[in-house]
Amino acid sequence: LSLRRASAVRSSAAVAHPVRTPPRPARSAVLLNGADDGGAPAAALGALGVFASLVCFVSEFTLKTTGCGLPAGPGGLYGAVEGLSYLAIVALIGWSVATKVQTGKGLPAGPFGLLGAAEGLAYLAALAGIVIAGLTVVDYGSIPNAVPSEGARCS
């Protein structure tokens, strides 16, 4: 009788009980915690941020080598893209700083790391812009006007 009882105790202990997993938090909670990549909006913002940074790098290279920014282009298109790119860089850095102050972390990486790349490139473009602006003042005595004027260096 004792052998039967002992084997019954062993067999009942070996029965696995199902493990309950906690429910997943709502998508909004996941986004607030930075655990999600943000999906399509984050990818689009990241891609625009990377593009804006690249435009700024081209503009800064042009400023350093010629003393002038990008030409206005057809119908002022190049100049408009250049100006909007600098505004996008400032906005991206502002968003990054605000996020850092609120959460203690920078922006999430986003899909394919685009948003994180855009954040890093924005800081790099801003730093390069400050350095090149200083070098332009040393080389040419001033920074060119945003809008070319008659008789100016970059008219």
Side-chain angles (χ1 to χ4, degrees):
L1 192 61
S2 64
L3 280 177
R4 246 188 218 179
R5 191 177 289 167
S7 68
V9 168
R10 264 188 260 131
S11 66
S12 68
V15 174
H17 297 305
V19 177
R20 299 187 122 217
T21 57
R24 278 191 72 167
R27 180 163 171 79
S28 60
V30 172
L31 285 173
L32 291 175
N33 293 332
D36 197 353
D37 62 7
L45 289 172
L48 287 173
V50 169
F51 175 76
S53 295
L54 295 177
V55 169
C56 290
F57 288 134
V58 170
S59 170
E60 291 161 356
F61 175 79
T62 304
L63 177 61
K64 177 62 183 129
T65 56
T66 67
C68 300
L70 294 176
L77 180 65
Y78 301 159
V81 169
E82 179 185 24
L84 290 173
S85 293
Y86 279 106
L87 290 175
I89 294 302
V90 170
L92 193 56
I93 290 173
W95 182 24
S96 170
V97 169
T99 302
K100 182 75 169 177
V101 167
Q102 291 174 353
T103 66
K105 301 178 193 175
L107 296 176
F112 309 110
L114 280 173
L115 194 54
E119 179 183 21
L121 288 172
Y123 280 107
L124 191 59
L127 177 64
I130 292 168
V131 169
I132 291 176
L135 292 173
T136 302
V137 169
V138 169
D139 292 345
Y140 298 99
S142 68
I143 298 173
N145 293 333
V147 178
S149 57
E150 194 67 34
R153 177 178 69 215
C154 298
S155 54

